[in-house]
Amino acid sequence: DVVMTQSPLSLPVTLGQPASISCTSSQSLVFSDGNTYLNWFQQRPGQSPRRLIYKASKRDSGVPDRFSGSGSGTDFTLKISRVEAEDVGVYYCMQGTHWPRTFGQGTKLEIK
Amino acid sequence: EVQLLESGGGLVQPGGSLRLSCAASGITFSGYGMNWVRQAPGKGLDWVANISPTGDNTYYADSVKGRFTVSRDNSKNTLHLQMNGLRAEDTALYYCVRGSMGPDYWGQGTLVTVSS
């Protein structure tokens, strides 16, 4: 199975400051069609997960542009340019290239 | 508006069975692969199973292979998860999720508790 490793697991951030989460996969996530199926999800307290980023860097409709995804192959990053109070929650990466699908452990973002 | 509504959760004894359902609306259900993803209390996300748009192909996490069966009825826009041989470690909120490679829409989940 592809192991997805996130860091850090806990991320205290001051409002208005940037934040960055790393996700590393144990195998390349490039699919045979040339796409890289790496997704980022946000789960706010008490809510279902919401997808923010797909194909490593494509932002979903309605997602603020302060969120961005980057990376290729096995190394990926989610960046928040300026953290707002509504960004509190747990962030997960998930690979959609290989079976079985696998998630990272989650990164808990809190306001410092 | 896309809606995924799970049902069928509850309290079951170890070794017992449950059948979860997910009713989809606002989407062309037959055009998408569908997943079940679970989340144990206070824990992270755990992918469980996937079924292709036509139902011809299914995939499972090793932890549930041989015990769980995913199926779908495209005529009724409904996804199912038959869970047999339930264990305490299967206790979780089970989400119905659309999309095989880039899951996008999630339901609110249905809670399964396995306990004697």
Side-chain angles (χ1 to χ4, degrees), chain A residues 39 41 43 48 51 99-101, chain B residues 39 47 50 100-103 107:
Chain A
N39 306 280
F41 298 92
Q43 188 174 31
S48 299
R51 195 180 69 180
W99 298 108
R101 304 309 194 213
Chain B
Q39 187 169 34
W47 176 83
N50 173 279
S100 292
M101 301 173 110

Side-chain angles (χ1 to χ4, degrees), chain A residues 1 31 37 39 41 43 47-49 51 92 94 96 99-101 103 105, chain B residues 37 39 43-45 47 50 59 62 95 100-104 106-108:
Chain A
D1 297 2
F31 191 59
Y37 293 99
N39 306 280
F41 298 92
Q43 188 174 31
Q47 295 187 12
S48 299
R51 195 180 69 180
Y92 298 92
M94 178 217 145
W99 298 108
R101 304 309 194 213
F103 287 91
Q105 317 97 301
Chain B
V37 175
Q39 187 169 34
K43 302 297 184 182
L45 300 173
W47 176 83
N50 173 279
Y59 304 88
D62 287 345
Y95 293 103
S100 292
M101 301 173 110
D104 50 10
W106 296 61
Q108 291 302 304

Side-chain angles (χ1 to χ4, degrees), chain A residues 19-30:
Chain A
S20 180
I21 301 170
S22 172
C23 175
T24 301
S25 59
S26 60
Q27 297 178 34
S28 172
L29 299 186
V30 179

